Structures are given as structure tokens and as C-alpha cells.
Amino acid sequence: MNVALVKNETGSALSDSFAIARDRLPGTGKVVGAREAAFAAYAQAGLPHRRIEDWKYTDLRALMREVLPLAPAPGTAELTRAATAAKLHAIEGVRRLVLVDGVFAPKLSELGGLEKGLVIRTLRETLEAGDAALQAQLLAPDNSNPMVALNSAMMTDGVVIEIADGVVLTQPLQIVHIASGNVPAAMFTRSLLRLGKDAGATLVESYVAADGAKTYQVHDSLIVSIGNNSRLDHVRLNEDSRDASNISSAVVSLGAHAHFNTFGMMSGAGVSRYQATIAFAGEGSKVETNGVNLLNGKQHADTTLFMDHAVPNGASREIFRAVVDDRAHSVFQGRIIVRPHAQKTDAKMMTRALLLSDEAEADNKPELEIFADDVTCGHGATTGALDESLLFYLRARGLSEKEAQALLIQAFVGEAIESIVNDGLRELAIAAAERWLEARG
Amino acid sequence: MSLLEVKDLKVRVEEREILHGLSLTVNPGQVHAIMGPNGSGKSTLSHVIAGKPGYEVTGGEILFRGEDLLEMSPDQRAAKGVFLAFQYPVEIPGVTTMNFLRTALNAQRRARGESEFLVPDFLKKVRNVAASLNIPMDMLKRGVNVGFSGGEKKRNEILQMALFEPAVCILDEMDSGLDIDALRIAADGVNALRSPDRAMVVITHYQRLLNYIVPDVVHVMSKGRVVKSGGKELALELEASGYAQFEDAA
């Protein structure tokens, strides 16, 4: 309702910027209607603030202040700089799909030689001409979460991936978000992955900045459906610039006997929030969701997970580790709901935070809502400093203070990183953690 | 020059003085045993030599090859050749023993300006040492001391000692928690490391360990001081008469 707070830097209301951007936003008919409804929902709520329980620890009015105007479509200069960043962050053996300033960049992407049963489209073309089922899936998220609503209103581009029944992709797919950051701006992206029955895939999402990128905002969302007997491995690495904000949402739904293994690492961005809803729609499915926050300076990173056990015989495991230095702030909110019919649910959540300075802060908020009576559910949370007796043991064996700390920090995050199945991707996460430790000096 | 010289050492923990002017001179090639009842300050001495935080040295000095040891950080002491075998080795989940050993060895070598060990050379060295101590390589792939028995933990300490080749080894209550077989294996490991260039300080409550590691010099500590020193027969004398006489003397 506080319209004054929904302003961009020029002082004009965001609704003006929505009006201005409208011509650039893909879709007609139903899509336009959905955008307008989403924008109205967002405009009424504004940026979420600390008086809203779900955003208690991540007050975007204080942290982000405003939503920046839609980033201009990248020109030759931006694409050239993005190409350099893409090379720098390239992962061997993956199929790269690149978004630059929120717009799909075909020249930087690898679209040749697609495996049989793999179809890749852009969000733009799907919203403009795609089939009704895909559009319905893309427009499915409701507007109750203001940041999802904003994303629904403004989504400009993204990647829409379909994997047919019975197809197990051997090559991981990677969606790379690159911000050229030429002018302070926001990018709004939405991607979709639809995995058929008896299928398998690995999806990597990376967020990086081109060299010299200025202030920018990433507003992203990912919609995933995993068919019966299918498996998706998902790795998310946020290495955005320190001047950036990254507000991302994921909505994942699993069929029966499906398996979702997801790992997220946040070491970048000044302000970030990753909110994921994982819904069990079919029986006998399994979810492992693991995450690591590596934060220093004044970084703020929030991981908010909602595990929705709606059917019987589901299993979920959440392992989350935060390493917080300087004046950084790590937030983990883990909500598990076991609905009345979801008997034999086995849900566990463990979150641990390591504080490396007196001013570092970690907030853990586990919430269990159990409405079934034959379930195994548990959660645990710890917060503490590095163990002095372990540090002394390592120092007595010749490790300097920094080396001893680094080894213990690696061990601390190791359990979560070990959950990554793909060797190459696990190495990548380990390397990212090592880079963070080295940068500590 | 003596290897390790403790001169009139006074140490406080919080407000309480634990060591009241302790002196000890250890020469290369020697094995010293320090015996004494619980609370006599034996472990405090070993901790202060290794540089454990939380102890305040209020008087005296510790020289290592004539250098002021108290001015050095624990890692500098380790690189110089001071090794403490812990009474209670800690468990470090998530750090494999192998990774820990290599990181530590190379950190010490770097500090001394020596080249780091490459993986194949390191593996060869560890394999040889482990075999001599009856340590299966599988054990080294697990987290440091995680799930190790008391005997395995102590053997892991001796493995490190053999790998790092320190000049002075302080063995703090190596026999605690070990049955007779485990004790024999550990003691054999220690004896194999005796050399004319190396000295050992064996801290123990019981004479039993000294049947396996035969000392050159035995010191009796009581109430924060060395109250008597003598040859290995002093240990046997203690076994027969107990510590009470020295507690009175102190």
C-alpha cells in the first residue's frame, strides 16, 4: 500500500516503468492479463519488509530500497563483455545457455547438436507463440509472494527446457546469468525445466557479472516439474558482484518415485534471497536439498525453503551450512509441512552456522507443521565459532592461524558440498569455496 | 648447546599459579621421563612448550637450541621441530587424515624454506611410515581421528611424529587409555624414532610405560616443581613407594 516506497531512482513510480517496459515484455492476450494482475498484486504490497513474518530477517525496503528500471537489451559492447565473462566462468562438458542482462544470447549459447528428446526455447518465444500447456506452467505461480508477483509481471526472457519421457541427458545444462551492468538496472528472468517420465538431467544455474559491472538487480525464477521415476540434479552458484542484489525463486514439483538433488552456494551478491518451494505431488519421491553460504563484508544472504509433503512416503533431507565473517548476515528459513494424508513422511533438516567475527550474524528459523501422525521429522540448528581445541591441534602441527581456519571451514562446508553427485560440478563448488577462503587472506 | 632448556618457568592459568619455577635441560639423544601425581603440572608444562593459548608465563624462559620459544607461535614451534603428542588427540570430521598430514608437513616445510612434497613422494613416505606402525591406509582416508579407538589415536600421533621428524618430542600421557598390546605397539613406534639428534620428554603418571620406553633421566614433579631427578631406577623406586614422600617434600 505504501506506494511511495515503490519508486525508482528517477522518482517516478515503478508502475510508470512497468508501463514503459510493457512494449518490451513478451506475450499477448492471457499473458498480458496475467502480467497486469501480477503487477497490481506487487504494487499493492510493495517491497517486502520486516513486519511480514516471511521477510523478518530480510527487509528488502532497507536492503534494496527500490526496484531498478528494466535493463536495456544488450548491445554489441555488452555482449562482448559478457562473452569474456562467459569464458572465464566456463565449465567443461556442459551445455551453456546464456542470458545477458536478462535477455537470451544465442551467440553465446550452445544450441547445436541437441540430444534427441531435448527441446530448448526462449521464454520470449514461448510466451509469444508457445503451446498452452507450457504457458500455463509458466504462469502457474500465484501472486501471494510479492517478489514472485513482480517477476511474473516483468519477466522478459529466460530458457524453457523440455526433456522427453525416457530421455536421460548425459551432458549437464547450464543457465548462465551474466550482468553487463553498464547502467544500474534490473533484469527479470524466468526459466522452466520440464522433465518427462523415466528421464534424467543435470541443471546448473550460475549468476556472474561481467568485469566492471555496476549496481544491478537479478529477479529470477525457475519452474521445474519432475516426472514419475525421473531424477534431476541441480546446482546453483551465485557469484554475483558485491554491488548486486539477487532475488530468486524456485518452484519445484515432483511426480511419483522421483528424485531431486539440489545444492546451492551463495558467495556473491551484496543482498540475496533464494526462496524455493518443493512440492511432493507423487508418492515415494526423494529430495535432498543442501546449501552453503560463504559471506563476508556486509553481505546479506537469505535461503528460504518450503518443503511441502502433500502425499505419503516422501523423504526429504536438508543440510545447510553458513560461514559468516565480518559484518555479514546469513539467514536460513526452513519450513516443512506434512499434510494430513502424507503418512510415512521422512523429513529432516539440519542447519549449522559458523561465525568468524563478533559482528557476524546468522539467523536460523526452522518451522515444522505436521498434520499426519505416522511420520519421522526432525530438525536441528547450531551456531558457533571455530573450535579452539581443533585450531590449536592444527597449529601445533605447523598450520598458520589462517591455514588452520581454512581447513576447518572447508571441513565445515564439506558435508553439504559432498552431496553434489557430478564430480566436475562438485569440484567446481569446492573451487568456489577455496577462492572465497583465499580471498580472506 | 642443549636442545631444550626450561629455566625457572612460572605459569599461571587464570589467577592460579601452576608452575612455580620449573627447570629442565634436555640434550640431543636423551629420553627424559617426567613423572608426578595428578595436578602436579605435567600437562601444563607440555602445553606451554607447544604454545597452547590460555597460559600466562609470569617468569622464566624456554629456549630451543638457544632461541626463545615463548616468542614463537605454535606453528613456528612445530616448524622448528617441537612436537607434542597429545594426551587427547582431537577429532576433526571432514578433514581426511591424508589431507591433514600433507597440509601440515608442507606447511612446516614451507616455513623452513624447504620445497613442498609432491603427492606421489608424500604417499610413498606415508605408506612406509604407516606400515611400520601397523596403520592400515584405509584409516588415513577417514576424518582425522574420527571413529578411531584410543590406541589408533595414539598411533596416529606417533605416525605424525615419524612423518614430521621433529627434534624434540613431548609425549603427554601416551599410555592413558591404552591396553597392554596397544601400549606395546605405540612404544615400539616411539623407540624406533630414538636417535642421537632427537630428544624425547615422556610425561606419565605410571611407571609401566617406562618399561617399554626406557628413559635416560627421570624427574619427579610435584606441585609445579621438579623435586627430584635421577636415573631410570628412580621410576622403579617411585613405583614401590608412591608419590606421597615428594608431596611432603614439595
Side-chain angles (χ1 to χ4, degrees):
Chain A
M1 229 85 81
N2 198 343
V3 178
L5 281 158
V6 195
K7 289 193 167 186
N8 67 20
E9 58 183 6
T10 61
S12 60
L14 185 67
S15 52
D16 288 349
S17 117
F18 178 57
I20 294 163
R22 202 172 301 184
D23 290 347
R24 281 191 51 211
L25 303 177
T28 50
K30 228 190 222 169
V31 178
V32 173
R35 284 188 190 279
E36 276 167 1
F39 190 80
Y42 173 74
Q44 193 166 44
L47 278 176
H49 51 81
R50 62 184 148 66
R51 285 187 302 279
I52 297 169
E53 181 60 25
D54 198 29
W55 296 85
K56 185 170 147 185
Y57 301 110
T58 300
D59 184 333
L60 289 186
R61 290 196 188 177
L63 292 165
M64 254 173 65
R65 288 197 193 89
E66 63 190 0
V67 175
L68 295 174
L70 179 64
T76 317
E78 286 76 25
L79 288 169
T80 306
R81 294 203 301 131
T84 309
K87 262 199 205 108
L88 196 68
H89 293 272
I91 308 171
E92 212 182 310
V94 305
R95 180 183 292 281
R96 204 161 65 202
L97 305 163
V98 180
L99 297 161
V100 178
D101 295 340
V103 177
F104 187 72
K107 285 196 179 131
L108 302 186
S109 303
E110 294 160 79
L111 294 166
L114 293 186
E115 291 96 317
K116 197 168 174 286
L118 170 64
V119 178
I120 298 174
R121 297 188 181 92
T122 66
L123 177 85
R124 175 167 287 274
E125 58 184 319
T126 311
L127 288 182
E128 303 226 299
D131 67 70
L134 280 179
Q135 283 198 1
Q137 206 171 350
L138 280 165
L139 298 173
D142 69 26
N143 294 322
S144 57
N145 183 305
M147 299 315 285
V148 174
L150 178 65
N151 185 270
S152 299
M154 301 289 286
M155 55 180 169
T156 314
D157 212 344
V159 184
V160 175
I161 301 162
E162 282 179 281
I163 299 159
D165 293 350
V167 173
V168 177
L169 295 184
T170 48
Q171 189 184 24
L173 303 169
Q174 184 194 20
I175 302 175
V176 191
H177 297 257
I178 303 175
S180 77
N182 224 8
V183 290
M187 46 212 87
F188 299 87
T189 46
R190 176 165 293 184
S191 294
L192 169 70
L193 187 144
R194 183 193 273 182
L195 193 59
K197 291 174 193 163
D198 306 304
T202 299
L203 175 68
V204 184
E205 293 182 284
S206 306
Y207 301 84
V208 297
D211 195 29
K214 298 188 179 63
T215 307
Y216 62 88
Q217 293 175 350
V218 176
H219 297 267
D220 185 36
S221 57
L222 175 72
I223 296 165
V224 173
S225 61
I226 305 173
N228 296 349
N229 300 309
S230 292
R231 173 180 179 130
L232 178 66
D233 286 284
H234 175 230
V235 173
R236 192 175 179 278
L237 302 170
N238 181 338
E239 294 190 85
D240 270 320
S241 116
R242 290 301 175 97
D243 297 323
S245 304
N246 182 316
I247 309 296
S248 295
S249 310
V251 181
V252 180
S253 138
L254 289 96
H257 304 286
H259 189 168
F260 179 46
N261 178 296
T262 173
F263 171 86
M265 182 182 282
M266 310 231 226
S267 57
V271 176
S272 64
R273 160 113 160 180
Y274 176 57
Q275 40 185 20
T277 298
I278 300 171
F280 287 75
E283 285 192 37
S285 290
K286 191 159 97 178
V287 172
E288 288 133 5
T289 162
N290 304 303
V292 169
N293 279 3
L294 295 169
L295 308 175
N296 57 22
K298 291 201 265 182
Q299 282 181 291
H300 179 107
D302 174 335
T303 300
T304 294
L305 301 178
F306 174 32
M307 197 70 72
D308 188 351
H309 284 277
V311 294
N313 296 307
S316 61
R317 291 286 176 278
E318 296 172 48
I319 296 175
F320 190 79
R321 298 278 183 275
V323 179
V324 199
D325 202 355
D326 304 327
R327 295 169 60 195
H329 187 182
S330 177
V331 178
F332 176 82
Q333 304 188 106
R335 187 168 159 226
I336 299 174
I337 182 161
V338 182
R339 296 192 189 270
H341 300 296
Q343 301 294 2
K344 305 281 182 197
T345 289
D346 177 2
K348 289 192 181 67
M349 172 164 64
M350 183 67 206
T351 158
R352 290 174 64 195
L354 186 58
L355 302 180
L356 299 179
S357 92
D358 291 341
E359 289 177 291
E361 186 177 338
D363 292 296
N364 287 317
K365 192 172 79 174
E367 286 177 277
L368 267 58
E369 296 171 45
I370 302 168
F371 299 102
D373 54 13
D374 184 15
V375 301
T376 311
C377 288
H379 72 82
T382 66
T383 300
L386 284 171
D387 186 325
E388 291 292 336
S389 67
L390 301 194
L391 280 173
F392 174 63
Y393 188 80
L394 294 174
R395 297 201 66 193
R397 295 299 179 251
L399 278 71
S400 70
E401 188 171 9
K402 286 282 179 191
E403 287 170 325
Q405 288 183 352
L407 196 63
L408 293 178
I409 293 167
Q410 277 175 297
F412 179 78
V413 298
E415 194 190 346
I417 294 179
E418 284 305 312
S419 67
I420 303 172
V421 179
N422 182 295
D423 291 341
L425 298 178
R426 189 171 57 248
E427 296 291 321
L428 200 76
I430 292 170
E434 279 171 356
R435 274 200 298 280
W436 186 85
L437 287 168
E438 270 162 31
R440 275 189 86 220
Chain B
M1 190 194 298
S2 47
L3 205 48
L4 182 71
E5 239 184 313
V6 181
K7 292 185 187 169
D8 197 27
L9 188 68
K10 291 180 179 152
V11 174
R12 300 173 79 100
V13 176
E14 285 159 7
E15 289 306 295
R16 211 163 74 92
E17 192 172 89
I18 309 283
L19 300 182
H20 314 288
L22 183 142
S23 296
L24 181 71
T25 301
V26 180
N27 291 315
Q30 288 184 328
V31 173
H32 287 238
I34 298 182
M35 303 186 68
N38 291 331
S40 57
K42 303 189 298 293
S43 284
T44 297
L45 176 64
S46 72
H47 291 160
V48 173
I49 292 172
K52 186 173 180 171
Y55 296 91
E56 190 195 347
V57 176
T58 55
E61 57 181 352
I62 304 178
L63 301 178
F64 178 75
R65 290 185 170 132
E67 282 186 86
D68 185 355
L69 201 63
L70 295 173
E71 282 299 307
M72 299 178 206
S73 63
D75 43 305
Q76 286 170 330
R77 297 179 201 201
K80 291 272 181 190
V82 177
F83 182 90
L84 168 66
F86 283 61
Q87 181 180 3
Y88 303 110
V90 296
E91 295 187 8
I92 315 178
V95 178
T96 64
T97 309
M98 218 50 160
N99 180 23
F100 157 69
L101 293 175
R102 196 162 66 88
T103 307
L105 183 61
N106 282 336
Q108 292 188 21
R109 292 179 66 88
R110 253 198 328 274
R112 291 193 293 261
E114 298 166 6
S115 65
E116 295 189 21
F117 264 102
L118 298 174
V119 175
D121 298 336
F122 168 77
L123 280 175
K124 202 169 148 192
K125 197 172 158 73
V126 174
R127 229 175 251 134
N128 290 337
V129 175
S132 71
L133 284 164
N134 223 344
I135 294 175
M137 292 300 281
D138 276 354
M139 210 172 106
L140 304 182
K141 290 173 187 155
R142 308 205 315 243
V144 176
N145 291 323
V146 176
F148 286 23
S149 71
E152 286 172 334
K153 283 181 184 170
K154 296 294 166 81
R155 265 189 279 159
N156 193 13
E157 295 292 287
I158 296 160
L159 170 79
Q160 294 170 45
M161 212 161 95
L163 209 56
F164 303 152
E165 302 176 84
V168 170
C169 308
I170 318 285
L171 305 164
D172 190 6
E173 306 269 3
M174 203 191 80
D175 45 343
S176 69
L178 294 194
D179 62 32
I180 204 79
D181 292 329
L183 181 63
R184 191 176 289 126
I185 296 170
D188 286 348
V190 172
N191 285 328
L193 294 173
R194 292 178 77 150
S195 98
D197 310 320
R198 182 173 291 139
M200 301 197 183
V201 178
V202 180
I203 293 172
T204 183
H205 188 84
Y206 300 105
Q207 192 269 336
R208 188 180 69 163
L209 176 65
L210 305 181
N211 291 336
Y212 299 96
I213 304 172
V214 181
D216 302 301
V217 188
V218 174
H219 308 276
V220 182
M221 260 186 87
S222 181
K223 296 181 180 164
R225 284 188 185 88
V226 171
V227 290
K228 189 170 183 182
S229 300
K232 61 187 175 204
E233 63 288 344
L234 180 56
L236 294 167
E237 197 183 303
L238 275 172
E239 183 78 354
S241 56
Y243 289 118
Q245 51 174 324
F246 298 108
E247 288 183 328
D248 297 340

PDB file of all heavy atoms in Angstrom, chain B residues 155-168:
ATOM      1  N   ARG B 155      48.471 -44.040  17.967  1.00  0.00           N
ATOM      2  CA  ARG B 155      49.337 -44.448  16.847  1.00  0.00           C
ATOM      3  C   ARG B 155      49.384 -43.364  15.779  1.00  0.00           C
ATOM      4  O   ARG B 155      50.397 -43.142  15.147  1.00  0.00           O
ATOM      5  CB  ARG B 155      48.833 -45.764  16.248  1.00  0.00           C
ATOM      6  CG  ARG B 155      49.544 -46.968  16.837  1.00  0.00           C
ATOM      7  CD  ARG B 155      49.200 -48.211  16.084  1.00  0.00           C
ATOM      8  NE  ARG B 155      47.917 -48.739  16.511  1.00  0.00           N
ATOM      9  CZ  ARG B 155      47.161 -49.559  15.804  1.00  0.00           C
ATOM     10  NH1 ARG B 155      47.575 -49.959  14.601  1.00  0.00           N
ATOM     11  NH2 ARG B 155      46.023 -50.004  16.274  1.00  0.00           N
ATOM     12  N   ASN B 156      48.238 -42.696  15.617  1.00  0.00           N
ATOM     13  CA  ASN B 156      48.190 -41.597  14.654  1.00  0.00           C
ATOM     14  C   ASN B 156      49.115 -40.455  15.086  1.00  0.00           C
ATOM     15  O   ASN B 156      49.756 -39.800  14.257  1.00  0.00           O
ATOM     16  CB  ASN B 156      46.744 -41.103  14.515  1.00  0.00           C
ATOM     17  CG  ASN B 156      46.552 -40.187  13.317  1.00  0.00           C
ATOM     18  OD1 ASN B 156      47.420 -40.099  12.450  1.00  0.00           O
ATOM     19  ND2 ASN B 156      45.436 -39.494  13.273  1.00  0.00           N
ATOM     20  N   GLU B 157      49.228 -40.231  16.397  1.00  0.00           N
ATOM     21  CA  GLU B 157      50.165 -39.216  16.895  1.00  0.00           C
ATOM     22  C   GLU B 157      51.605 -39.621  16.574  1.00  0.00           C
ATOM     23  O   GLU B 157      52.418 -38.792  16.163  1.00  0.00           O
ATOM     24  CB  GLU B 157      50.010 -39.039  18.418  1.00  0.00           C
ATOM     25  CG  GLU B 157      48.677 -38.476  18.871  1.00  0.00           C
ATOM     26  CD  GLU B 157      48.472 -37.028  18.462  1.00  0.00           C
ATOM     27  OE1 GLU B 157      49.109 -36.137  19.038  1.00  0.00           O
ATOM     28  OE2 GLU B 157      47.674 -36.798  17.534  1.00  0.00           O
ATOM     29  N   ILE B 158      51.898 -40.905  16.757  1.00  0.00           N
ATOM     30  CA  ILE B 158      53.268 -41.367  16.508  1.00  0.00           C
ATOM     31  C   ILE B 158      53.576 -41.354  15.010  1.00  0.00           C
ATOM     32  O   ILE B 158      54.682 -41.043  14.592  1.00  0.00           O
ATOM     33  CB  ILE B 158      53.476 -42.762  17.140  1.00  0.00           C
ATOM     34  CG1 ILE B 158      53.332 -42.623  18.666  1.00  0.00           C
ATOM     35  CG2 ILE B 158      54.855 -43.328  16.805  1.00  0.00           C
ATOM     36  CD1 ILE B 158      53.029 -43.922  19.363  1.00  0.00           C
ATOM     37  N   LEU B 159      52.544 -41.646  14.219  1.00  0.00           N
ATOM     38  CA  LEU B 159      52.699 -41.552  12.769  1.00  0.00           C
ATOM     39  C   LEU B 159      53.123 -40.140  12.373  1.00  0.00           C
ATOM     40  O   LEU B 159      54.032 -39.937  11.566  1.00  0.00           O
ATOM     41  CB  LEU B 159      51.373 -41.915  12.087  1.00  0.00           C
ATOM     42  CG  LEU B 159      51.285 -41.650  10.584  1.00  0.00           C
ATOM     43  CD1 LEU B 159      51.982 -42.755   9.802  1.00  0.00           C
ATOM     44  CD2 LEU B 159      49.841 -41.550  10.118  1.00  0.00           C
ATOM     45  N   GLN B 160      52.471 -39.152  12.977  1.00  0.00           N
ATOM     46  CA  GLN B 160      52.820 -37.759  12.680  1.00  0.00           C
ATOM     47  C   GLN B 160      54.248 -37.453  13.112  1.00  0.00           C
ATOM     48  O   GLN B 160      55.002 -36.771  12.426  1.00  0.00           O
ATOM     49  CB  GLN B 160      51.844 -36.808  13.380  1.00  0.00           C
ATOM     50  CG  GLN B 160      50.429 -36.911  12.838  1.00  0.00           C
ATOM     51  CD  GLN B 160      49.443 -36.147  13.697  1.00  0.00           C
ATOM     52  OE1 GLN B 160      49.704 -35.016  14.097  1.00  0.00           O
ATOM     53  NE2 GLN B 160      48.319 -36.756  13.992  1.00  0.00           N
ATOM     54  N   MET B 161      54.594 -37.972  14.274  1.00  0.00           N
ATOM     55  CA  MET B 161      55.936 -37.765  14.800  1.00  0.00           C
ATOM     56  C   MET B 161      56.967 -38.322  13.816  1.00  0.00           C
ATOM     57  O   MET B 161      57.971 -37.676  13.508  1.00  0.00           O
ATOM     58  CB  MET B 161      56.028 -38.513  16.130  1.00  0.00           C
ATOM     59  CG  MET B 161      56.904 -37.911  17.152  1.00  0.00           C
ATOM     60  SD  MET B 161      56.419 -38.613  18.755  1.00  0.00           S
ATOM     61  CE  MET B 161      57.594 -39.927  18.869  1.00  0.00           C
ATOM     62  N   ALA B 162      56.680 -39.510  13.299  1.00  0.00           N
ATOM     63  CA  ALA B 162      57.612 -40.152  12.375  1.00  0.00           C
ATOM     64  C   ALA B 162      57.690 -39.371  11.059  1.00  0.00           C
ATOM     65  O   ALA B 162      58.741 -39.270  10.435  1.00  0.00           O
ATOM     66  CB  ALA B 162      57.169 -41.587  12.112  1.00  0.00           C
ATOM     67  N   LEU B 163      56.565 -38.802  10.657  1.00  0.00           N
ATOM     68  CA  LEU B 163      56.487 -38.100   9.382  1.00  0.00           C
ATOM     69  C   LEU B 163      57.157 -36.728   9.451  1.00  0.00           C
ATOM     70  O   LEU B 163      57.848 -36.304   8.533  1.00  0.00           O
ATOM     71  CB  LEU B 163      55.005 -37.940   9.045  1.00  0.00           C
ATOM     72  CG  LEU B 163      54.590 -37.881   7.600  1.00  0.00           C
ATOM     73  CD1 LEU B 163      55.073 -39.089   6.829  1.00  0.00           C
ATOM     74  CD2 LEU B 163      53.062 -37.788   7.544  1.00  0.00           C
ATOM     75  N   PHE B 164      56.937 -36.022  10.564  1.00  0.00           N
ATOM     76  CA  PHE B 164      57.445 -34.654  10.670  1.00  0.00           C
ATOM     77  C   PHE B 164      58.905 -34.615  11.130  1.00  0.00           C
ATOM     78  O   PHE B 164      59.559 -33.597  11.024  1.00  0.00           O
ATOM     79  CB  PHE B 164      56.570 -33.826  11.636  1.00  0.00           C
ATOM     80  CG  PHE B 164      55.106 -33.775  11.253  1.00  0.00           C
ATOM     81  CD1 PHE B 164      54.116 -33.613  12.215  1.00  0.00           C
ATOM     82  CD2 PHE B 164      54.716 -33.883   9.920  1.00  0.00           C
ATOM     83  CE1 PHE B 164      52.771 -33.567  11.864  1.00  0.00           C
ATOM     84  CE2 PHE B 164      53.370 -33.835   9.564  1.00  0.00           C
ATOM     85  CZ  PHE B 164      52.397 -33.684  10.541  1.00  0.00           C
ATOM     86  N   GLU B 165      59.396 -35.710  11.681  1.00  0.00           N
ATOM     87  CA  GLU B 165      60.788 -35.822  12.138  1.00  0.00           C
ATOM     88  C   GLU B 165      61.223 -34.646  13.008  1.00  0.00           C
ATOM     89  O   GLU B 165      62.172 -33.939  12.681  1.00  0.00           O
ATOM     90  CB  GLU B 165      61.717 -35.974  10.930  1.00  0.00           C
ATOM     91  CG  GLU B 165      61.351 -37.186  10.080  1.00  0.00           C
ATOM     92  CD  GLU B 165      62.199 -37.293   8.814  1.00  0.00           C
ATOM     93  OE1 GLU B 165      63.298 -37.837   8.934  1.00  0.00           O
ATOM     94  OE2 GLU B 165      61.767 -36.815   7.769  1.00  0.00           O
ATOM     95  N   PRO B 166      60.526 -34.413  14.115  1.00  0.00           N
ATOM     96  CA  PRO B 166      60.860 -33.279  14.988  1.00  0.00           C
ATOM     97  C   PRO B 166      62.149 -33.527  15.773  1.00  0.00           C
ATOM     98  O   PRO B 166      62.613 -34.661  15.863  1.00  0.00           O
ATOM     99  CB  PRO B 166      59.663 -33.207  15.938  1.00  0.00           C
ATOM    100  CG  PRO B 166      59.128 -34.588  15.988  1.00  0.00           C
ATOM    101  CD  PRO B 166      59.385 -35.198  14.648  1.00  0.00           C
ATOM    102  N   ALA B 167      62.699 -32.454  16.356  1.00  0.00           N
ATOM    103  CA  ALA B 167      63.918 -32.576  17.153  1.00  0.00           C
ATOM    104  C   ALA B 167      63.586 -32.920  18.605  1.00  0.00           C
ATOM    105  O   ALA B 167      64.330 -33.628  19.257  1.00  0.00           O
ATOM    106  CB  ALA B 167      64.705 -31.269  17.088  1.00  0.00           C
ATOM    107  N   VAL B 168      62.451 -32.373  19.065  1.00  0.00           N
ATOM    108  CA  VAL B 168      62.014 -32.669  20.433  1.00  0.00           C
ATOM    109  C   VAL B 168      60.584 -33.184  20.408  1.00  0.00           C
ATOM    110  O   VAL B 168      59.712 -32.547  19.831  1.00  0.00           O
ATOM    111  CB  VAL B 168      62.072 -31.411  21.334  1.00  0.00           C
ATOM    112  CG1 VAL B 168      61.394 -31.682  22.665  1.00  0.00           C
ATOM    113  CG2 VAL B 168      63.505 -30.999  21.583  1.00  0.00           C
TER     114      VAL B 168
END
